[in-house]
Amino acid sequence: MNTRFMLSILGLFISPILLFSTITTGSEAIYDNDQSQTMAISNLDDTKFVICYSDGGASGSGTCKVGTRTGTSTTYGPAYTFTGSNIYNVKVRNLSATQFIIAFRNNSGGAKVRLGTVSGTSISYSTSASVTSVFVDNFGLTPLTSNSFAVAYKDNNNSGRGAVRIGTVSGGSISMGSIYYFNTGQTNHISIDALDASTIAISYKDDSNSNKGTSLIGSISGTVVSYHSESVFNTGNTEWINTIALTSTSFVVVYSDLGNGNKGTACVGSINSSNAISFGSEYVFNPANTTNLVAAGHGTNNFTMSYSDGGDGNNLNANVGTISGTSISYGSEVTLNGNVQVPATAAIGLDYFVTIYKDDPNGCKSTAVAAYVAGILPVELLYFDARPNEANVQLVWETGSESENRGFVIQRSSDAQSWNDIGFEAGAGSISFNKSYEWIDRSPLSGNNYYRLIQEDYDGTKTYTNIVHLNLGDDNAIKVYPNPLTATCQLEWKGQMPVSLILFDLSGKQVEQFDGNSQVLDLSPLDAGVYILSVQFRAETKYLRLVKN
């Protein structure tokens, strides 16, 4: 069973609150009565999405439809053809709520891109632009900004090397930058995702290095791409690779490990200041043969995957992964359909996803199913802290993503029992990127000040955060900065010197110990994540929450 842990700090460790991530599926919906040999899906906003596919009823021509998700039900607008040629591979990603990029391979074997613009459920297209005229059998696509994107592909005209080109949209036209190669040998199962507007993570099967699963970071300046060192995430033969950005410095790779019985597996990559990647442990989500594997990200801590499960009659199953640092836990597997082909998936809203597929048991019709993921919090709270600021108290917090977030009620207490509302900070509604907040308490209490937030959705649903504590009359007051930190942090205290400084992870395991007189703590050897610093004085122990990016 999948869990999310929230640790409240109130002078001591308390039992974590367990939130269970489970998947509930809706009814299937046929979006085209004919079969498709390739399909792709991308969100446009939290309820609207676009599907691109080869229409078997129109000689395999490239076609798109706009879909709308209402709960776990989906409906579809008319079909709009973007190329009359038979297409054999297609990818699609949104640039905004009304525009998307299609990358596809047609009869000639070359790859092209085209811009789609949405109005309601209508779609219009720009002229297409060529990515390469040579045969392309696999490629990846990611947006960078609202008017730029990156395409990664295998260049069969140059020893099968991996290549990237940057596309720029201007006035409805697309221009492509130069080719930049990232691997010296055969490159397959390419997957790419943007960490930010100038950084991409690329994962692939490196045929020139024993088929190992490999990743690297690309830095983008205009249409120029420069690469950093490769890092192996799986030493065995690796296929069905999916790269999902989590934050600007981390991503998750989801894949089938052919070197370990074709097991469905995932691991988290963390990026340092030199753009080198270090990977955490590998975590298996399906111990049987895993094929047709596709995955989607849900904020900074969750992802879902859909796959054909060889241990369950090759049914199309789905699961959800939850990330803490570089650790991954999984929920319970659910079945979406029977034996299907060419699936694709996308998150449509923070806690929903839609998976599409060719439904072999039902006449190979092009089909979709929407699912709800319970346990993904409407707001991902990365940290919440209270800091002394002259005679005031500065409250700071950061979210990783928000869904239908009206805002935060700020509460204060002198005993952590009786609470008073002292302020309100408006939320960002629905976003999928990090957002920082700050609120100043200009009339704090003398002595103990306990603070918490009540996060409110537009529908009135409320979620309480952990409690933070600050004693303005404390002889052993201590503060830490910067927090979050990247490598080191500074400690300051007044009064007596601490006896010991011990660092724990969220499971309660000790990971580091420092001298009591240490004023600079070096956390650079540790993985990104949340840690608890125990500061022991002679007569009391204080706990500080540290966030390492």
Side-chain angles (χ1 to χ4, degrees):
M1 183 170 289
N2 191 17
T3 60
R4 170 173 290 179
F5 296 87
M6 294 180 63
L7 183 61
S8 297
I9 307 160
L10 196 57
L12 74 165
F13 287 109
I14 65 173
S15 299
I17 301 169
L18 305 182
L19 297 176
F20 305 103
S21 293
T22 57
I23 297 174
T24 304
T25 62
S27 299
E28 292 179 306
I30 296 170
Y31 66 86
D32 195 291
N33 282 312
D34 295 294
Q35 65 175 309
S36 174
Q37 298 304 319
T38 181
M39 59 185 70
I41 181 173
S42 175
N43 70 304
L44 295 171
D45 56 31
D46 284 348
T47 59
K48 188 174 287 188
F49 56 95
V50 61
I51 294 175
C52 300
Y53 60 101
S54 64
D55 186 350
S59 302
S61 60
T63 304
C64 292
K65 284 185 176 183
V66 172
T68 302
R69 178 192 61 77
T70 304
T72 55
S73 298
T74 58
T75 56
Y76 300 91
Y80 293 87
T81 299
F82 63 85
T83 178
S85 301
N86 191 1
I87 63 169
Y88 297 92
N89 199 343
V90 65
K91 303 290 182 184
V92 63
R93 296 293 298 270
N94 74 309
L95 296 179
S96 68
T98 57
Q99 288 194 313
F100 58 91
I101 285 289
I102 317 163
F104 59 97
R105 176 169 70 89
N106 56 21
N107 280 327
S108 66
K112 294 183 176 182
V113 289
R114 197 162 190 182
L115 176 70
T117 300
V118 174
S119 176
T121 59
S122 300
I123 303 173
S124 58
Y125 301 107
S126 70
T127 56
S128 60
S130 176
V131 176
T132 178
S133 60
V134 302
F135 179 81
V136 174
D137 54 0
N138 70 92
F139 51 85
L141 175 67
T142 185
L144 299 171
T145 68
S146 61
N147 59 7
S148 63
F149 59 93
V151 182
Y153 62 96
K154 175 184 177 181
D155 189 345
N156 286 297
N157 203 36
N158 189 8
S159 304
R161 297 180 64 187
V164 169
R165 296 185 73 180
I166 304 301
T168 304
V169 177
S170 178
S173 298
I174 300 174
S175 59
M176 299 301 300
S178 300
I179 302 172
Y180 294 90
Y181 293 101
F182 62 83
N183 189 32
T184 57
Q186 288 273 342
T187 309
N188 284 295
H189 290 269
I190 299 170
S191 178
I192 181 174
D193 205 7
L195 304 177
D196 55 39
S198 60
T199 311
I200 51 177
I202 311 171
S203 303
Y204 50 94
K205 173 183 175 179
D206 188 352
D207 291 25
S208 61
N209 187 24
S210 303
N211 302 319
K212 294 178 181 178
T214 306
S215 295
L216 56 75
I217 298 300
S219 296
I220 299 168
S221 177
T223 60
V224 177
V225 186
S226 58
Y227 299 106
H228 306 276
S229 57
E230 292 179 315
S231 182
V232 172
F233 62 84
N234 182 42
T235 57
N237 191 354
T238 312
E239 294 186 351
W240 299 104
I241 297 171
N242 297 261
T243 305
I244 301 170
L246 299 170
T247 68
S248 60
T249 58
S250 64
F251 62 98
V252 61
V253 188
V254 188
Y255 52 94
S256 180
D257 185 356
L258 276 65
N260 186 29
N262 298 350
K263 294 177 181 178
T265 309
C267 64
V268 174
S270 301
I271 305 156
N272 66 18
S273 58
S274 300
N275 285 308
I277 304 169
S278 59
F279 284 102
S281 300
E282 295 176 283
Y283 292 86
V284 172
F285 61 84
N286 184 39
N289 185 35
T290 305
T291 59
N292 292 319
L293 172 61
V294 291
H298 298 259
T300 58
N301 294 317
N302 293 90
F303 61 98
T304 53
M305 48 281 187
S306 303
Y307 50 93
S308 294
D309 185 353
D312 188 27
N314 284 321
N315 283 337
L316 180 66
N317 290 339
N319 208 333
V320 56
T322 298
I323 296 167
S324 176
T326 58
S327 299
I328 305 174
S329 57
Y330 300 110
S332 299
E333 186 179 75
V334 299
T335 297
L336 302 179
N337 198 306
N339 193 351
V340 306
Q341 299 295 327
V342 295
T345 193
I348 314 299
L350 179 65
D351 43 7
Y352 289 86
F353 66 92
V354 174
T355 297
I356 59 177
Y357 44 88
K358 183 178 76 169
D359 189 355
D360 288 8
N362 188 28
C364 297
K365 294 178 180 179
S366 299
T367 306
V369 63
Y372 168 67
V373 186
I376 296 180
L377 296 180
V379 171
E380 290 184 88
L381 187 65
L382 301 181
Y383 66 87
F384 172 46
D385 199 11
R387 304 167 183 172
N389 183 357
E390 297 180 348
N392 305 317
V393 173
Q394 180 188 32
L395 301 178
V396 290
W397 65 98
E398 184 176 1
T399 61
S401 59
E402 301 180 19
S403 178
E404 300 296 312
N405 179 26
R406 175 178 173 269
F408 303 88
V409 176
I410 299 144
Q411 291 193 319
R412 185 183 64 202
S413 172
S414 62
D415 58 6
Q417 300 295 322
S418 300
W419 295 91
N420 296 309
D421 295 351
I422 60 171
F424 180 82
E425 187 72 19
S430 296
I431 57 174
S432 57
F433 50 84
N434 291 18
K435 180 173 175 58
S436 298
Y437 293 88
E438 176 184 307
W439 196 87
I440 303 295
D441 182 3
R442 302 190 184 280
S443 302
L445 304 174
S446 177
N448 288 320
N449 287 265
Y450 297 94
Y451 297 93
R452 71 182 181 187
L453 305 175
I454 305 176
Q455 183 271 317
E456 291 187 352
D457 291 350
Y458 289 121
D459 65 3
T461 302
K462 297 181 180 181
T463 303
Y464 290 80
T465 70
N466 58 293
I467 298 169
V468 295
H469 172 228
L470 192 65
N471 190 328
L472 296 184
D474 193 347
D475 291 336
N476 295 325
I478 186 167
K479 64 178 180 178
V480 57
Y481 60 90
N483 189 16
L485 59 102
T486 56
T488 63
C489 62
Q490 182 90 18
L491 286 183
E492 286 186 3
W493 61 81
K494 71 174 185 177
Q496 61 177 294
M497 182 181 298
V499 175
S500 70
L501 303 167
I502 302 174
L503 193 67
F504 299 89
D505 63 20
L506 288 186
S507 71
K509 177 184 176 182
Q510 179 177 325
V511 295
E512 189 63 83
Q513 183 166 358
F514 306 95
D515 292 335
N517 60 357
S518 298
Q519 290 184 291
V520 177
L521 306 185
D522 184 7
L523 275 64
S524 58
L526 301 178
D527 292 335
V530 180
Y531 297 90
I532 306 301
L533 179 66
S534 168
V535 184
Q536 183 177 350
F537 295 94
R538 287 186 177 86
E540 66 173 332
T541 300
K542 295 182 177 296
Y543 296 90
L544 301 175
R545 184 177 188 267
L546 304 183
V547 178
K548 183 175 185 293
N549 290 332

